[in-house]
């Protein structure tokens, strides 16, 4: 009889010759090993693992295969991850741009380490809480892509500014926000580097008018608690598509970024900075950002051009495959989808319809529904090639309509391999994600910290 009063013990952990748990082969040396080892050893509830609570180190060493996982299960493809990490790092180098990947995409220290290991300049955070997590794992530099006006968060930033080995930056888009930062950081040990944010009319944060942006730059430069470090924008607020006038609108808008930097430099507003940071670049239009920043004006200080893409790491089957410059339809060496979900066929209640054991609690649905790639039946993988589509998701069920017959008709007990869209809304649902090799073996496991 099973004892439900205590959680099961995690499986034994295979150790290296030194006696330490086997580290993540993906993580590399981008972050210090001690905090990663502590994360690897921390138990976590993992609904797709046969033993739970468990640890990343235990999963990594347990000799599991895809068939051992409890479904539904989101998994990462090791080969695709390594390819995307290397490919985008080379692409940024070819553009002469630095990379500060948006860490909120994965909130995975293992994957941050892999990005930093490949030369990333730093990490981008959406919130101060995310920056705090990044710092706790040894990230040397974090750009908070928001204006910070919370008193407690600014107190944390003041404390972080006392650490000479950690560099934090944030944005500003209003004089009111600058006043709040100025007051909270008056006694900080060094000034906080701040970038003026340019925005888009009708969309989210950022100064709408370049003249107003220059006025704000003057206000920051006059504040002893702050240093004007550069200018920032996020072109991802434009529609992420290549078949309309969106790319042209992005190019026109990005010209403002360099113009504000030029005008601020002409007034000597970057006094106290070692360089001028000019940064934009989500995952949809990093090529347009690289093009816009390829011929910067002559300034009195060196310019550091930073792209902040995050979704490149896993790419996807739909959203990023439509938008990315390294999509399969546009690049000789494209990014590859590295994020999948495997779900069991639970029911065939009507002709042409199957119900899958996967729903909104498991996969993204904010932009696209999952796309069925293949049926897994025994040792066979049967491509579906458009013969089925997910038409609806409930909390824990997926509606799969199919036109296939014979082998391509799903049956109860089959596994459907699903491609996903928008990885940002997948990672946050899974605190521990197995990493598979091409043979379906679990060769790594990464934690997420949402």
């Amino acid at each position: 009889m099973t004892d439900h009063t205590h959680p099961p013990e995690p499986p034994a952990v295979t150790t290296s010759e030194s006696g330490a748990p086997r580290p993540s082969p993906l993580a590399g040396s981008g972050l210090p090993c001690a905090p990663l080892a502590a994360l690897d050893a921390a138990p976590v509830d993992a609904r797709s693992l046969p033993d739970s609570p468990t640890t990343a180190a235990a999963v990594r060493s347990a000799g599991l295969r895809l068939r051992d996982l409890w479904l539904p299960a989101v998994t990462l493809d090791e080969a695709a991850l390594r390819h995307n990490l290397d490919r985008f790092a080379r692409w940024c180098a070819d553009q002469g741009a630095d990379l500060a990947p948006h860490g909120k995409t994965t909130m995975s220290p293992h994957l941050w380490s892999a990005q930093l290991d490949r030369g990333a300049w730093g990490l981008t955070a959406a919130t101060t809480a995310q920056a705090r997590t990044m710092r706790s794992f040894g990230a040397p530099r974090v750009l908070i892509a928001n204006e910070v006006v919370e008193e407690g968060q600014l107190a944390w930033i003041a404390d972080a500014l006392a650490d000479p080995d950690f560099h934090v930056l944030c944005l500003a888009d209003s004089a009111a926000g600058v006043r709040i930062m100025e007051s909270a950081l008056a006694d900080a040990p060094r000034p906080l580097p701040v970038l003026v944010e340019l925005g888009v009319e009708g969309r989210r944060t950022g100064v709408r008018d370049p003249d107003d942006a220059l006025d704000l730059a003057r206000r920051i430069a006059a504040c002893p608690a702050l240093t004007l470090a550069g200018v920032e924008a996020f072109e991802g607020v434009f529609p992420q598509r290549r078949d309309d006038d969106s790319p042209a609108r992005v190019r026109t808008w990005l010209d403002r970024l360099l113009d504000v930097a030029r005008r601020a430099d002409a007034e000597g507003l970057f006094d106290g900075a070692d360089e001028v940071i000019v940064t934009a670049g989500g995952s949809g239009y990093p090529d347009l950002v690289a093009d816009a920043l390829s011929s910067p004006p002559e300034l009195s200080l060196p310019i550091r051009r930073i792209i902040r893409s995050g979704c490149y790491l896993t790419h996807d089957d739909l959203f990023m495959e439509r938008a990315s410059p390294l999509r399969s339809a546009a690049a000789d060496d494209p990014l590859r989808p590295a994020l999948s979900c495997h779900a069991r066929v639970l029911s065939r209640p009507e002709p042409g319809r199957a119900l899958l054991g996967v729903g909104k609690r498991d996969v993204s649905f904010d932009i696209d529904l999952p796309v069925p790639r293949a049926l897994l039946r025994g040792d066979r993988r049967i491509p579906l090639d458009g013969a089925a589509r997910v038409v609806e998701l409930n909390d824990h069920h997926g509606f799969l309509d199919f036109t296939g017959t014979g082998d391509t008709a799903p049956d109860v007990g089959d596994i459907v391999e699903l491609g996903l869209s928008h990885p940002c809304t997948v990672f946050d649902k899974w605190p521990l994600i197995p990493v598979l090799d091409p043979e379906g073996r679990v060769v790594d496991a990464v934690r997420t910290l949402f």
Side-chain angles (χ1 to χ4, degrees):
M1 181 159 120
T2 303
D3 179 5
H4 294 287
T5 60
H6 300 286
E9 292 293 326
V13 179
T14 300
T15 59
S16 65
E17 292 181 3
S18 67
R22 192 178 75 187
S24 165
L26 270 172
S29 58
L31 290 175
C33 61
L36 289 179
L39 181 64
D40 281 343
V44 60
D45 285 318
R47 63 184 185 272
S48 67
L49 275 298
D51 293 295
S52 180
T54 187
T55 68
V59 174
R60 197 175 294 137
S61 304
L64 299 172
R65 301 181 69 91
L66 173 60
R67 62 173 175 259
D68 298 313
L69 303 181
W70 286 22
L71 304 186
V74 161
T75 62
L76 288 164
D77 181 313
E78 181 192 32
L81 273 177
R82 291 186 182 277
H83 169 81
N84 294 348
L85 284 160
D86 293 336
R87 179 69 179 94
F88 203 75
R90 290 198 310 271
W91 184 85
C92 288
D94 290 344
Q95 309 305 311
D98 286 303
L99 174 64
H102 221 317
K104 59 94 175 173
T105 299
T106 67
M107 283 305 292
S108 171
H110 294 101
L111 299 178
W112 297 339
S113 182
Q115 292 170 309
L116 291 165
D117 192 43
R118 286 163 174 81
W121 174 84
L123 299 174
T124 298
T127 68
T128 308
Q130 292 173 2
R132 180 175 60 184
T133 300
M134 293 168 183
R135 182 190 179 198
S136 72
F137 282 89
R141 186 181 290 109
V142 176
L143 168 59
I144 302 172
N146 257 316
E147 185 172 68
V148 181
V149 295
E150 294 281 345
E151 182 178 346
Q153 295 175 17
L154 287 165
W156 179 86
I157 287 176
D159 177 74
L161 290 170
D163 180 357
D165 296 323
F166 179 69
H167 302 276
V168 60
L169 310 86
C170 76
L171 310 184
D173 78 345
S174 67
V178 170
R179 284 194 298 271
I180 293 171
M181 287 189 279
E182 180 179 26
S183 175
L185 299 172
D187 297 324
R190 56 186 164 104
L192 171 67
V194 174
L195 290 80
V196 172
E197 180 178 21
L198 272 71
V200 177
E201 187 72 32
R203 303 309 298 163
R204 64 188 200 201
T205 54
V207 182
R208 281 16 183 182
D209 181 78
D211 290 338
D212 293 338
L214 190 61
D215 285 341
L216 185 61
R218 296 184 185 111
R219 178 70 178 83
I220 295 167
C223 175
L226 308 176
T227 295
L228 182 65
V231 292
E232 183 275 349
F234 177 58
E235 78 294 341
V237 298
F238 288 95
Q240 304 285 283
R241 54 190 302 169
R242 301 273 175 160
D243 59 353
D244 63 5
D245 66 345
S246 295
R249 292 167 62 200
V250 170
R251 290 188 184 95
T252 299
W253 180 70
L254 284 169
D255 287 341
R256 299 180 178 183
L257 199 62
L258 287 169
D259 186 56
V260 171
R262 178 190 59 78
R263 294 168 66 188
D265 182 67
E267 294 188 22
L269 301 183
F270 294 113
D271 183 38
D274 297 324
E275 60 188 8
V276 177
I277 294 173
V278 182
T279 176
S283 297
Y285 296 127
D287 55 327
L288 304 188
V289 173
D291 288 346
L293 305 185
S294 62
S295 300
E298 289 292 330
L299 302 186
S300 61
L301 294 169
I303 294 179
R304 185 175 295 277
R305 300 178 295 149
I306 301 173
I307 288 171
R308 305 194 311 275
S309 304
C311 292
Y312 79 89
L313 181 63
T314 58
H315 197 57
D316 67 26
D317 290 70
L318 296 161
F319 176 46
M320 284 295 102
E321 180 60 16
R322 291 192 296 266
S324 170
L326 295 177
R327 62 195 184 278
S328 58
D332 293 334
D333 186 15
L335 299 173
R336 303 173 189 170
L339 195 62
S340 304
C341 182
H342 300 84
R344 190 80 64 181
V345 178
L346 302 181
S347 176
R348 282 272 306 270
E350 303 166 9
R353 169 158 290 181
L355 271 294
L356 307 180
V358 65
K360 295 178 181 178
R361 302 295 177 90
D362 309 302
V363 293
S364 56
F365 59 93
D366 55 323
I367 297 177
D368 302 285
L369 293 172
V371 57
R373 295 182 191 144
L375 288 177
L376 307 183
R377 183 177 293 150
D379 293 330
R380 300 172 62 199
R381 183 181 186 277
I382 305 167
L384 286 171
D385 296 328
R389 66 190 183 100
V390 175
V391 296
E392 183 181 345
L393 291 177
N394 293 163
D395 279 359
H396 293 287
H397 289 88
F399 293 70
L400 183 76
D401 285 357
F402 62 91
T403 57
T405 59
D407 278 353
T408 58
D411 204 354
V412 173
D414 286 344
I415 297 172
V416 179
E417 177 188 299
L418 298 167
L420 305 176
S421 181
H422 196 197
C424 294
T425 50
V426 180
F427 277 94
D428 63 346
K429 303 176 189 303
W430 298 89
L432 192 150
I433 303 179
V435 180
L436 304 179
D437 72 3
E439 283 71 49
R441 294 174 296 206
V442 177
V443 293
D444 203 346
V446 300
R447 286 287 310 275
T448 66
L449 300 174
F450 286 93

